[in-house]
Amino acid sequence: MYYKQIDKKSWLCVGDGPRNPVTGQRKQISRRGKSKKEAETKVLDAIKKSEKNFSFDEKITFDEFSNVWLENYLFRGNKDSTIDHRKYCISTINNYMAKVQINKINTLLYQNFLNQLMTEGSSLSTIKGINNVAQMIFKYAKEVGLIDNNPTESSFIPKPKLEIKDIQEDRVEKLFLNSDELKIFIEEVERYKSPVIRTLLYILTFTGMRPGEAISLYKDDIDFNNATIRINKTTYRMNRIKGEFKLTPPKTLGSIRIIEVDQFILKMIKEMQHFQHIYKYVESEFLFSMNDGFPTTIDYLRTVVRRIGEKTNISKQLHTYMLRHTHVSLLAEAGVDLTYIMNRVGHRNSKTTTEIYLHVTKGMRENAQVKMHKKFSALLNLDKNEINVSKM
């Protein structure tokens, strides 16, 4: 250590930092303090930090560091779709702070970024996803000694002000089709020209599969004798191009399952396969192959559902996952318990599934209460909820 008194009120201390693992050279670290001891303490703290962070330049920008984080993240064994989502989140953050030194990003700067996302119309789920990725990146930056404070720890997810109309509208009700709406939807599905797409939409509605799971089904995943379907894969579409895809394991291990299906679904599948044979569809292992032998894309299926919805008088905005949610509501209406429903749709725990289940069963309980009251009133000869005391 080298010490030098600058003046009566300050000291300079200089020490050798750790060797650069690539060049082998040391970098001198100097700090000032009000006393010799304070200057020395600052140098020792800086050396300790440098030893922990010898591979990063303290001036590294967010985009440079996030690239390093992503390179390491690729070795965690995550699905391609998950990695693509991480890349999307990083690119969004880069739009705001790519060239800002990561150690210059404080809570105020980061909070302003989140607020701007909301102001520009990003959905709550999108903001949460981006914030989740940012948390991982800044946590890593703190672990390697680039930053002392993680700006995401003191920030919050902005939410729009609750309006009266938001209170009056039933959010859960928008997640699925009720019985009357489902009948209207099915009537329009029946008019769709492609039997492959028709059958696929029935599968989504009456099995609760995820769209990616359904279009990934092989022919031998169907067991006609036992009336079951095996679900053990999903489709990752590269570049959103129909022929460019690969099969991957499903979302979670709990998503690997065998489910029972109704005979009318099996009959539809057989009729669809007969159609594929008659019209000489290219031979394919995929159950829902189109005439070129490839299954349709999730994007196309999403467009079909939206267009079908536009042809009806259903006020809700239809999407593919609404059919999955509708299946949950149908099972809840039928009195099926929540655990079975979770297993059937491949969920260990799902807030959305639970909300739909509780919403539907609450209505059933209220309906049961009315029926019980009528029954008890008839048995006890009650009039307007009061016992006729004159007969007592």
Side-chain angles (χ1 to χ4, degrees):
M1 290 282 189
Y2 168 75
Y3 304 93
K4 181 181 178 181
Q5 187 171 9
I6 305 299
D7 51 41
K8 292 181 179 181
K9 295 183 179 180
S10 63
W11 279 77
L12 173 69
C13 181
V14 182
D16 290 331
R19 291 187 183 277
N20 186 296
V22 178
T23 64
Q25 296 178 345
R26 290 184 182 273
K27 179 182 178 181
Q28 286 193 322
I29 297 174
S30 62
R31 294 290 185 272
R32 292 191 179 197
K34 294 179 180 179
S35 65
K36 181 179 178 180
K37 184 63 177 177
E38 182 180 310
E40 179 185 35
T41 300
K42 288 183 177 180
V43 169
L44 291 174
D45 287 343
I47 290 174
K48 185 178 179 180
K49 185 175 180 180
S50 295
E51 287 172 344
K52 190 176 182 182
N53 182 39
F54 60 79
S55 61
F56 290 105
D57 185 329
E58 64 179 12
K59 294 183 179 180
I60 189 170
T61 58
F62 180 85
D63 62 336
E64 293 170 336
F65 185 77
S66 61
N67 268 338
V68 175
W69 176 84
L70 185 60
E71 288 173 4
N72 290 322
Y73 185 82
L74 296 177
F75 290 96
R76 294 188 180 183
N78 289 293
K79 294 171 59 178
D80 291 325
S81 57
T82 301
I83 292 171
D84 281 350
H85 181 257
R86 301 293 188 243
K87 290 178 178 178
Y88 162 75
C89 293
I90 290 173
S91 68
T92 302
I93 302 172
N94 278 335
N95 289 336
Y96 293 82
M97 57 185 77
K99 298 306 177 184
V100 180
Q101 285 181 211
I102 196 162
N103 58 12
K104 300 292 186 185
I105 301 173
N106 56 29
T107 300
L108 180 59
L109 177 63
Y110 183 72
Q111 186 64 60
N112 287 338
F113 157 66
L114 293 179
N115 294 345
Q116 191 165 347
L117 286 178
M118 189 202 73
T119 302
E120 293 175 351
S122 296
S123 67
L124 183 60
S125 61
T126 297
I127 298 175
K128 285 182 176 179
I130 292 171
N131 183 62
N132 181 50
V133 173
Q135 285 178 329
M136 291 188 283
I137 293 172
F138 284 108
K139 180 183 177 183
Y140 181 49
K142 187 175 181 180
E143 288 172 348
V144 299
L146 268 175
I147 59 176
D148 295 322
N149 298 305
N150 183 339
T152 66
E153 291 178 354
S154 301
S155 62
F156 62 89
I157 302 296
K159 297 178 182 178
K161 185 185 295 184
L162 192 65
E163 303 288 347
I164 294 297
K165 64 180 182 64
D166 298 321
I167 299 174
Q168 293 173 337
E169 292 177 355
D170 194 327
R171 184 184 64 82
V172 179
E173 191 75 37
K174 293 180 179 180
L175 296 175
F176 62 93
L177 298 176
N178 61 39
S179 297
D180 292 334
E181 292 166 336
L182 180 57
K183 288 177 183 178
I184 295 171
F185 175 76
I186 290 299
E187 287 176 1
E188 198 60 46
V189 169
E190 285 295 327
R191 298 188 182 96
Y192 199 81
K193 58 184 178 181
S194 169
V196 177
I197 299 298
R198 284 203 306 269
T199 308
L200 188 49
L201 294 178
Y202 267 88
I203 283 279
L204 294 178
T205 306
F206 294 100
T207 69
M209 283 188 220
R210 299 178 179 90
E213 293 172 338
I215 65 176
S216 303
L217 290 174
Y218 285 159
K219 293 175 181 176
D220 60 9
D221 287 326
I222 311 300
D223 186 337
F224 289 99
N225 293 327
N226 294 310
T228 60
I229 296 179
R230 177 180 59 207
I231 304 167
N232 58 10
K233 53 192 170 297
T234 189
T235 297
Y236 170 63
R237 187 77 54 182
M238 293 175 284
N239 302 320
R240 298 181 177 270
I241 299 175
K242 185 178 182 183
E244 295 185 20
F245 67 93
K246 65 179 180 179
L247 298 182
T248 65
K251 190 173 183 180
T252 63
L253 290 177
S255 298
I256 299 174
R257 60 204 188 276
I258 294 177
I259 62 172
E260 301 83 9
V261 288
D262 285 285
Q263 288 297 328
F264 80 91
I265 290 292
L266 298 177
K267 181 181 178 183
M268 287 190 71
I269 291 174
K270 288 181 179 179
E271 291 174 350
M272 177 195 73
Q273 290 179 319
H274 180 67
F275 177 89
Q276 290 168 325
H277 175 72
I278 292 296
Y279 285 88
K280 299 185 179 350
Y281 277 34
V282 174
E283 189 62 32
S284 171
E285 60 189 340
F286 288 102
L287 178 67
F288 292 110
S289 62
M290 305 302 285
N291 57 3
D292 58 3
F294 294 114
T296 187
T297 66
I298 293 177
D299 287 340
Y300 180 73
L301 202 58
R302 187 181 297 118
T303 300
V304 169
V305 172
R306 178 176 55 79
R307 288 178 178 173
I308 288 176
E310 291 171 351
K311 292 180 179 180
T312 70
N313 61 358
I314 300 173
S315 60
K316 300 171 183 174
Q317 186 175 356
L318 270 65
H319 51 84
T320 50
Y321 261 73
M322 182 177 280
L323 304 183
R324 175 172 164 83
H325 297 159
T326 298
H327 185 68
V328 171
S329 74
L330 291 174
L331 294 182
E333 257 183 48
V336 179
D337 68 83
L338 182 58
T339 301
Y340 178 87
I341 294 175
M342 288 283 194
N343 291 332
R344 181 173 174 84
V345 299
H347 273 152
R348 287 184 178 177
N349 183 29
S350 167
K351 180 181 177 183
T352 301
T353 298
T354 302
E355 283 182 336
I356 293 172
Y357 180 84
L358 293 176
H359 179 86
V360 173
T361 53
K362 178 184 177 183
M364 292 167 61
R365 288 194 298 272
E366 290 173 350
N367 187 42
Q369 187 176 358
V370 172
K371 290 180 179 179
M372 285 189 293
H373 175 71
K374 288 182 178 179
K375 183 67 175 178
F376 296 162
S377 296
L379 286 171
L380 300 175
N381 195 26
L382 298 179
D383 182 25
K384 295 182 181 181
N385 301 333
E386 295 180 0
I387 297 176
N388 190 339
V389 294
S390 62
K391 294 183 179 181
M392 296 182 64

